[in-house]
Amino acid sequence: MMSLRKLRAALVAACLLSPVAAAAADLIPVEDFARHASVSMPRLSPDGKHIAVRMDDGDNHALVIFDVADMTRPVSMLRMPRYEVPVNVTWVSSTRLVVEKGKMFGSIDAPQATGEVIATDVDGKHMDYLFGYQSGSNSRGATRQADDGWGSVEGLPEKTNGHFYLGAHPWDEGNSSRLYDVDSMKNVRHLIGDIGVGQLSFLVGPDGKPEFAYGTDVNFEYVVYQSIANRWAQLNRAQTGKYFAPFATAPDGQHVYAMHSTSGGPTELIVQRLDGSDRKVLAKDDFGSVHNVQWTAPPLQPFAIITATGTPRPIYVDPNLPAAKLYAAISQKFPGEFVDFINFSEDGHELLFTVSSDRDPGTWYLIDTEHYKVIKLFTAAPWIDPSKMAERVPMRFKASDGVELEAILTVPNGVPMSNLPMVLLPHGGPHDVNDDWFFDEDAQFLASRGYLVLQVNYRGSGSRGVNFVQAGYLKWGTRIQQDLIDGVKWAEQQQYADPDRVCVYGGSFGGYSALMSAIRAPKLFKCAIGYAGVYDLAMMRSKGSIGSDTFGKNYLTAVIGKDDAALAANSPAKLAEQIDVPVLLIHGEADQRVPFAQAKAMRAALDAAHKPYEWMSKSGEGHGFYTEANNVERLNLMQDFLAKHIGKGATPP
């Protein structure tokens, strides 16, 4: 448990510490890249008087509530059991919060929601268990049976009143998605929506009734339903386009805001009437999707949306709105950084916002919008000195088949981007996940050691629309790897990278790509590092959490297929004799996402093929190492391995 003493120490660090000045030639300690951010996910209360924030100290996690008038000590603290964290926090009134619980299964995965929803008053009293598998035993809802399913917050009434809308999905994956109106004070829920399709999200209208249900069902098909005369009607492709995700009702109550793509290209922000008429595009970008809506104070309406590719920039929906003018003014005060409005108080007098960049993990501020007084609240990682971090440069290149792809280069400080030793860093996922311009610990660590870092948003990646995601289906070991290889060749042709000093390193699917790209292009790389990687595709269908339910099985069928010969032909563990570079394998022995058996299979294959490799595994670690000491050891091993095979990185003259 997190003690109050530790909490206060963490608070002082998050709020008050500033990076210690050091000479440019000083090597940033490995420990700085192994530490976890101390604060995250702050939320401002509707009355603007309190802030709730997740705080972490090693393995200890808590939801902490502060009085804005006195940030030196918490009003209350909800301590979480080891490895449990709040994954979403919602103020349902100015005095009550609802918390969705989750668990940490490793540093590569985001915390996974457990489907449990709890509530607490701002002073830490009247805690209650609102939904989850323990709801029949330890809450005021004890007269109910336990909830055999997942719950999540789907929305709030227009004016906070202690109620919220809860989506519920059964564990048995029966064809059902349910929606409840929950009174968080009384722990009473009323069913207001029920549709015979699993896994769907809901949009609730201003009258408290569901308007849409949408999402990817258990058959891994995207569907949209609309409530018409209290009956669910499935909308067809002509009505929705290839992608339609309605996420908010407009202030007039007659229109909805949605992310939309007619033909599967980059998603656009649209507004339309409930019946689909009067559709207008509010913001779009031709290369990539738009995302991250910036909202006004209530009544909520979008004033800007952010580009999802390249260096992020706002596209203003209405630049004349007061919130848009405030956003522009704040952005001018932080040149080279990205401003993100988190939330306003209901009266609009207080605003919580964050500032971050490619070099800066982020700092949160509170501004009084009447007097323009700004208070600095928290810094995510105060030990990181942005001036010593490397620049991240989004660029574009054409793959071998002519398709334009995005690359992000992280350039070591103080050296020209010319003939540098380089590490290819494929992202995980792989589908609907992408690398972006913002701070990246792996890329910054490698750049701090003098290596140019190349990240490629290959086909299958997110932020460019449904078609781009699906272009990577059934092509894990072929087209995706070719996109990565094409990126390396492009960087070499541009003379950014030294062709004789290139390695590849990745985690999860990136670990798969690290070995698979070395197989597909044996002369391109000098070494490969696989971290928590997938190495046997057939094993994914029988072991690990991904294929443990119907949705996961259907997902795997769609993205990797089930033909044994094709799976073997695209599995590094079946192709070890083709690996002609030194390999480093790193894996957590308690990994549930990609089981330890994957690493052992790859090790056995390398042994059988008499191929050189190094090995690191840790008991108790999941999908990516979580313990900071283990991560320090991992990073030290990686930098030594890279130095051995492509030499030490470039240093400033």
Side-chain angles (χ1 to χ4, degrees):
M1 294 294 182
M2 183 183 288
S3 69
L4 187 57
R5 177 183 57 79
K6 284 188 174 183
L7 184 279
R8 285 176 177 163
L11 173 63
V12 168
C15 296
L16 302 178
L17 290 183
S18 59
V20 177
D26 288 351
L27 196 64
I28 301 169
V30 168
E31 287 78 5
D32 285 1
F33 298 100
R35 296 177 68 177
H36 304 302
S38 52
V39 297
S40 59
M41 212 168 55
R43 297 291 184 269
L44 180 66
S45 64
D47 62 5
K49 294 181 179 179
H50 293 92
I51 287 178
V53 61
R54 172 182 154 185
M55 300 200 72
D56 303 293
D57 179 25
D59 292 338
N60 299 301
H61 311 283
L63 177 70
V64 185
I65 300 171
F66 294 97
D67 188 327
V68 170
D70 181 10
M71 295 292 294
T72 60
R73 56 188 304 146
V75 173
S76 64
M77 178 169 58
L78 175 61
R79 297 176 177 89
M80 309 291 286
R82 193 180 189 194
Y83 300 126
E84 289 192 7
V85 295
V87 294
N88 189 31
V89 177
T90 304
W91 287 92
V92 295
S93 76
S94 292
T95 58
R96 194 153 177 82
L97 306 92
V98 167
V99 180
E100 295 173 59
K101 294 176 64 177
K103 282 189 176 181
M104 297 291 301
F105 290 99
S107 60
I108 293 178
D109 265 351
Q112 297 177 34
T114 60
E116 299 170 274
V117 182
I118 61 178
T120 180
D121 281 355
V122 70
D123 59 5
K125 299 178 180 178
H126 300 114
M127 288 189 189
D128 214 347
Y129 191 97
L130 303 182
F131 189 92
Y133 64 91
Q134 300 182 67
S135 62
S137 59
N138 67 348
S139 75
R140 285 179 289 166
T143 56
R144 296 193 298 263
Q145 292 183 339
D147 296 307
D148 294 330
W150 290 273
S152 60
V153 176
E154 294 284 317
L156 295 172
E158 280 194 311
K159 189 76 173 178
T160 54
N161 58 4
H163 288 239
F164 69 98
Y165 304 120
L166 180 137
H169 306 278
W171 283 337
D172 62 9
E173 297 182 89
N175 290 326
S176 176
S177 296
R178 298 188 179 96
L179 183 69
Y180 294 93
D181 180 334
V182 181
D183 184 332
S184 68
M185 284 299 300
K186 297 179 180 179
N187 197 351
V188 173
R189 65 177 85 146
H190 298 288
L191 184 67
I192 59 174
D194 192 353
I195 184 170
V197 181
Q199 304 289 328
L200 301 187
S201 299
F202 292 92
L203 172 63
V204 184
D207 59 358
K209 296 180 180 179
E211 293 177 340
F212 291 94
Y214 61 95
T216 303
D217 65 16
V218 293
N219 296 316
F220 201 61
E221 294 181 0
Y222 193 81
V223 293
V224 181
Y225 292 82
Q226 186 173 11
S227 180
I228 302 174
N230 294 320
R231 295 175 63 88
W232 289 108
Q234 184 172 0
L235 302 183
N236 58 43
R237 182 68 59 83
Q239 294 169 295
T240 65
K242 197 164 184 179
Y243 183 79
F244 177 74
F247 58 87
T249 305
D252 66 3
Q254 303 301 311
H255 290 75
V256 293
Y257 299 113
M259 294 299 183
H260 174 258
S261 174
T262 300
S263 59
T267 55
E268 306 168 338
L269 174 64
I270 67 164
V271 63
Q272 68 174 45
R273 288 190 176 275
L274 292 171
D275 63 6
S277 64
D278 193 28
R279 179 177 292 169
K280 297 177 182 177
V281 176
L282 299 179
K284 68 175 184 177
D285 179 68
D286 291 336
F287 181 78
S289 298
V290 292
H291 73 154
N292 195 352
V293 177
Q294 301 295 305
W295 295 97
T296 67
L300 299 174
Q301 62 183 109
F303 68 82
I305 196 164
I306 310 302
T307 54
T309 56
T311 303
R313 59 182 173 84
I315 300 174
Y316 288 98
V317 176
D318 185 349
N320 295 316
L321 289 172
K325 293 179 179 179
L326 178 62
Y327 184 91
I330 294 174
S331 296
Q332 288 180 353
K333 297 294 185 182
F334 296 96
E337 301 207 66
F338 170 73
V339 174
D340 189 14
F341 283 9
I342 305 300
N343 70 311
F344 283 90
S345 58
E346 284 188 330
D347 62 12
H349 293 165
E350 302 289 338
L351 167 65
L352 176 67
F353 69 94
T354 185
V355 175
S356 61
S357 74
D358 55 343
R359 296 176 166 103
D360 180 2
T363 300
W364 287 271
Y365 299 85
L366 188 69
I367 183 171
D368 177 340
T369 62
E370 291 186 305
H371 304 97
Y372 300 104
K373 179 182 178 182
V374 178
I375 302 173
K376 182 179 178 181
L377 298 175
F378 311 106
T379 297
W383 52 88
I384 294 292
D385 182 350
S387 69
K388 295 170 68 176
M389 295 296 108
E391 180 182 9
R392 289 170 58 75
V393 185
M395 304 179 77
R396 297 180 193 175
F397 70 95
K398 284 191 176 180
S400 52
D401 63 354
V403 173
E404 192 171 32
L405 300 177
E406 180 181 43
I408 299 174
L409 291 167
T410 307
V411 187
N413 280 342
V415 297
M417 192 165 66
S418 177
N419 288 314
L420 294 173
M422 186 175 79
V423 177
L424 171 66
L425 178 58
H427 66 70
H431 299 294
D432 215 14
V433 176
N434 62 287
D435 291 309
D436 58 33
W437 170 80
F438 291 96
F439 187 89
D440 183 301
E441 283 184 348
D442 273 333
Q444 290 291 352
F445 167 70
L446 293 168
S448 76
R449 269 52 192 167
Y451 299 108
L452 177 68
V453 181
L454 169 66
Q455 294 168 286
V456 176
N457 282 320
Y458 47 74
R459 267 160 278 199
S461 302
S463 294
R464 291 187 64 186
V466 175
N467 291 345
F468 195 80
V469 172
Q470 294 177 349
Y473 289 2
L474 304 178
K475 297 176 181 176
W476 282 25
T478 53
R479 186 67 252 178
I480 290 178
Q481 301 312 312
Q482 189 60 50
D483 284 351
L484 292 166
I485 291 165
D486 289 345
V488 173
K489 292 180 177 178
W490 163 78
E492 293 176 352
Q493 290 165 359
Q494 300 300 311
Q495 298 184 352
Y496 300 145
D498 180 348
D500 294 325
R501 301 179 65 191
V502 179
C503 279
V504 54
Y505 152 65
S508 196
F509 178 83
Y512 166 86
S513 289
L515 272 69
M516 203 68 214
S517 60
I519 291 168
R520 296 295 187 226
K523 296 182 180 180
L524 202 62
F525 303 100
K526 301 302 180 185
C527 63
I529 303 174
Y531 177 36
V534 175
Y535 307 115
D536 186 329
L537 296 187
M539 188 185 293
M540 289 186 71
R541 302 190 65 89
S542 59
K543 294 183 179 181
S545 62
I546 297 175
S548 63
D549 56 29
T550 301
F551 179 87
K553 287 182 173 67
N554 290 334
Y555 166 81
L556 290 176
T557 297
V559 302
I560 65 171
K562 52 185 179 181
D563 179 79
D564 289 340
L567 295 175
N570 291 284
S571 293
K574 305 298 184 184
L575 305 169
E577 70 281 355
Q578 298 181 36
I579 298 175
D580 290 325
V581 299
V583 170
L584 170 60
L585 297 177
I586 305 172
H587 218 103
E589 296 176 15
D591 194 337
Q592 298 180 36
R593 174 69 67 174
V594 178
F596 187 44
Q598 289 275 358
K600 291 193 291 185
M602 191 68 240
R603 179 175 62 178
L606 291 169
D607 281 333
H610 305 290
K611 300 293 184 177
Y613 67 90
E614 295 184 36
W615 175 266
M616 179 183 187
S617 68
K618 291 292 182 180
S619 63
E621 291 286 8
H623 194 50
F625 292 179
Y626 190 77
T627 304
E628 292 180 7
N630 287 340
N631 273 315
V632 169
E633 184 179 344
R634 174 180 67 86
L635 293 175
N636 277 319
L637 177 61
M638 283 173 48
Q639 70 178 9
D640 292 344
F641 183 81
L642 291 171
K644 184 188 307 182
H645 298 293
I646 58 173
K648 291 187 177 181
T651 57

